[in-house]
């Protein structure tokens, strides 16, 4: 350890704050219900969140070179806190668009800067497992969001009039706590001898074939992630006539198994090769998506839950393995590589848009098939993972 345990715990709280972005799945479903939006209109909300990863990820990598990783993370949490405060005052479509945009901007800055900051706390050989543990902490915030929203929507006293939107002030309070703690904790950052690289210089790193493949892998990972937590409730509503409050449990189930996967993965990755574990994870995702697509007639909701759980567990360690592989492949350009990898979260914009249009045309199975394309890529990418 390069710093004390307090610094490590503070960074883990920042990972918890990072998980707030995953509320977009259940929130977009409630906004769709409240405003009677179509699937394609509703999917603009999560797509908008991840659009900002395309714009801010590389500039954030450059900013880290100038002001440091810790200050950049602090900036990101401040923006996130503002995004969570806005919906307290209303839930109109324009208000939610502004809130989701700021949430996306804050999360783009956070994911770009927080992952490299871990490198200042743990040694390189433990980076993948520590990032996985951070994803475990992040996933706790992710699976809590649907339960908080359901509590607000169904409580006898409807959450101070906020109803499902009560999750925003609750998470805002946690974000403010993270700002306070990270602001006072001391984290030693290594001075970089690398000259600050411009935007085009960062993009040119995509000319490295392995970095490009990692970038596409991140796009597929987040596309499946966002796609599942928005589509899972719709599968239950379409095939079993569940209400939204009942179907929202599917989103929590996904994140529960992502949490289990991250927790167990942080241990398993110390015992088995990255390549083997990645291959098993990709297989679980693909098999589950094929199951949801092929068995399209109304079936036991237990089957749908089982497939969602498989996707959650399989997708839990994909990001950490790809991210660590890319960082270790270019050790002298880690800030820039981090920006590129987080820019790959733009897949959270591309996939939901494609899924929304496919769902409007052929039903929810169309959205599942779009995600399956990403799962096929991840399965093929397994061959490029180093042992």
């Amino acid at each position: 350890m390069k710093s004390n345990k307090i610094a490590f715990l503070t960074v883990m709280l920042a990972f918890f704050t990072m998980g707030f972005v995953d509320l977009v799945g259940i929130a977009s479903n409630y906004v769709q219900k409240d405003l009677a939006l179509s699937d394609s209109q509703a999917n603009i909300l999560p797509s908008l969140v991840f659009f900002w990863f395309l714009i801010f990820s590389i500039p954030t990598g450059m900013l880290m070179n100038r002001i440091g990783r810790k200050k950049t993370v602090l900036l990101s949490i401040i923006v996130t806190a503002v995004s969570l405060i806005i919906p307290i005052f209303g839930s109109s479509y324009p208000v939610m668009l502004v809130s989701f945009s700021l949430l996306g901007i804050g999360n783009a800055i956070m994911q770009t800067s927080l992952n490299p900051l871990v490198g200042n706390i743990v040694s390189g050989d433990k980076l993948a497992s520590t990032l996985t543990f951070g994803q475990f902490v992040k996933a706790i915030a992710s699976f809590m969001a649907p339960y908080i929203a359901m509590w607000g929507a169904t409580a006898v006293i409807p959450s101070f009039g906020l109803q499902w939107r009560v999750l925003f002030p609750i998470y805002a309070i946690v974000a403010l706590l993270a700002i306070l703690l990270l602001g006072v904790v001391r984290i030693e950052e290594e001075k970089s001898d690398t000259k600050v690289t411009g935007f085009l210089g960062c993009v040119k790193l995509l000319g490295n074939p392995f970095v490009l493949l990692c970038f596409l892998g991140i796009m597929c990972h987040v596309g499946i992630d966002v796609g599942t937590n928005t589509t899972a409730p719709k599968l239950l509503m379409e095939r079993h006539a569940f209400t939204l409050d009942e179907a929202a449990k599917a989103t929590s189930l996904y994140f529960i198994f992502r949490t289990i996967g991250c927790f167990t993965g942080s241990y398993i990755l110390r015992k088995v090769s990255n390549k083997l574990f990645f291959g098993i994870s990709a297989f679980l995702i693909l098999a589950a998506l094929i199951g949801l697509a092929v068995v399209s007639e109304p079936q036991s909701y237990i089957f749908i839950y089982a497939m969602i759980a498989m996707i959650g567990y399989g997708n839990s360690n994909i990001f950490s393995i790809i991210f660590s592989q890319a960082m270790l492949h270019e050790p002298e350009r880690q800030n820039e590589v981090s920006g590129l990898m987080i820019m790959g979260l733009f897949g959270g914009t591309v996939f939901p848009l494609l899924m929304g249009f496919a769902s409007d045309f052929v039903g929810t199975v169309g959205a599942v098939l779009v995600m399956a394309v990403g799962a096929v890529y991840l399965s093929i990418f397994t061959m490029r993972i180093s042992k």
Side-chain angles (χ1 to χ4, degrees):
M1 299 290 290
K2 297 180 180 179
S3 187
N4 55 38
K5 293 181 180 180
I6 295 177
F8 179 81
L9 293 174
T10 302
V11 169
M12 289 302 111
L13 180 60
F15 269 101
F16 186 84
T17 307
M18 184 193 292
F20 296 169
V21 73
D22 290 320
L23 66 81
V24 300
I26 191 61
S28 62
N29 279 293
Y30 275 106
V31 173
Q32 180 178 16
K33 176 186 176 182
D34 292 346
L35 303 179
L37 305 175
S38 68
D39 281 349
S40 54
Q41 290 174 319
N43 279 11
I44 289 176
L45 291 169
S47 294
L48 183 63
V49 169
F50 290 94
F51 167 77
W52 299 107
F53 286 85
L54 179 66
I55 306 298
F56 281 90
S57 298
I58 291 179
T60 298
M62 297 161 59
L63 180 65
M64 280 192 292
N65 284 334
R66 295 184 180 277
I67 69 173
R69 296 169 180 176
K70 176 185 167 181
K71 290 181 180 179
T72 308
V73 173
L74 274 172
L75 173 63
S76 71
I77 303 177
I78 292 170
V79 175
T80 299
V82 173
S83 75
L84 295 168
I85 293 171
I86 291 175
I88 297 174
F89 304 101
S91 59
S92 67
Y93 198 58
V95 167
M96 299 310 296
L97 287 175
V98 172
S99 173
F100 279 32
S101 291
L102 288 175
L103 183 62
I105 292 170
N107 206 260
I109 299 172
M110 192 184 308
Q111 298 224 37
T112 305
S113 54
L114 183 55
N115 289 299
L117 185 61
V118 174
N120 295 116
I121 298 176
V122 299
S123 57
D125 61 334
K126 297 179 181 178
L127 181 59
S129 60
T130 305
L131 288 177
T132 293
F133 186 77
Q135 292 296 309
F136 159 69
V137 175
K138 172 180 178 289
I140 295 174
S142 301
F143 83 72
M144 286 176 59
Y147 283 110
I148 296 173
M150 285 186 289
W151 167 75
T154 59
V156 176
I157 301 175
S159 313
F160 309 103
L162 292 172
Q163 297 184 330
W164 67 269
R165 288 181 293 124
V166 72
L167 67 89
F168 288 100
I170 290 175
Y171 278 177
I173 292 171
V174 178
L176 293 173
L177 177 62
I179 293 170
L180 176 63
L181 293 179
L182 187 60
V184 299
V185 74
R186 181 179 177 84
I187 298 178
E188 294 292 339
E189 297 187 41
E190 298 175 357
K191 297 293 183 180
S192 175
D193 296 327
T194 304
K195 184 179 178 180
V196 176
T197 306
F199 186 88
L200 292 179
C202 292
V203 174
K204 285 181 180 179
L205 284 173
L206 291 176
N208 182 312
F210 185 75
V211 173
L212 176 60
L213 292 174
C214 289
F215 175 82
L216 295 175
I218 295 290
M219 286 191 69
C220 292
H221 155 73
V222 74
I224 294 169
D225 184 64
V226 177
T228 302
N229 75 70
T230 56
T231 303
K234 295 175 183 177
L235 284 168
L236 292 169
M237 290 187 288
E238 179 183 284
R239 299 180 184 181
H240 293 282
F242 279 27
T243 66
L244 178 55
D245 292 330
E246 293 171 332
K249 295 177 182 178
T251 301
S252 286
L253 179 68
Y254 170 77
F255 285 117
I256 286 172
F257 274 84
R258 268 204 65 180
T259 304
I260 294 172
C262 290
F263 182 75
T264 58
S266 63
Y267 174 78
I268 295 173
L269 283 170
R270 297 173 184 265
K271 303 296 182 180
V272 305
S273 71
N274 289 340
K275 186 171 187 175
L276 175 61
F277 195 49
F278 190 94
I280 294 172
S281 299
F283 172 78
L284 287 174
I285 298 170
L286 182 58
L289 288 170
I290 291 174
L292 289 175
V294 172
V295 187
S296 58
E297 294 300 320
Q299 70 266 173
S300 169
Y301 64 88
I302 299 299
F303 175 81
I304 296 178
Y305 280 150
M307 296 301 101
I308 292 170
M310 285 176 60
I311 298 171
Y313 191 89
N315 210 26
S316 59
N317 297 283
I318 295 294
F319 175 85
S320 299
I321 294 175
I322 295 178
F323 190 92
S324 62
Q325 291 274 308
M327 294 275 283
L328 296 174
H329 187 74
E330 291 284 347
E332 302 300 321
R333 307 286 296 279
Q334 289 194 352
N335 286 351
E336 291 87 346
V337 170
S338 175
L340 281 175
M341 292 303 103
I342 301 305
M343 189 173 73
L345 297 183
F346 178 66
T349 293
V350 176
F351 273 72
L353 286 176
L354 295 176
M355 290 166 60
F357 289 123
S359 182
D360 284 346
F361 278 105
V362 298
T364 310
V365 67
V368 173
L369 291 174
V370 172
M371 289 190 287
V373 173
V376 169
Y377 177 85
L378 292 176
S379 298
I380 297 173
F381 179 70
T382 302
M383 302 303 298
R384 298 300 302 271
I385 297 291
S386 64
K387 296 181 179 180

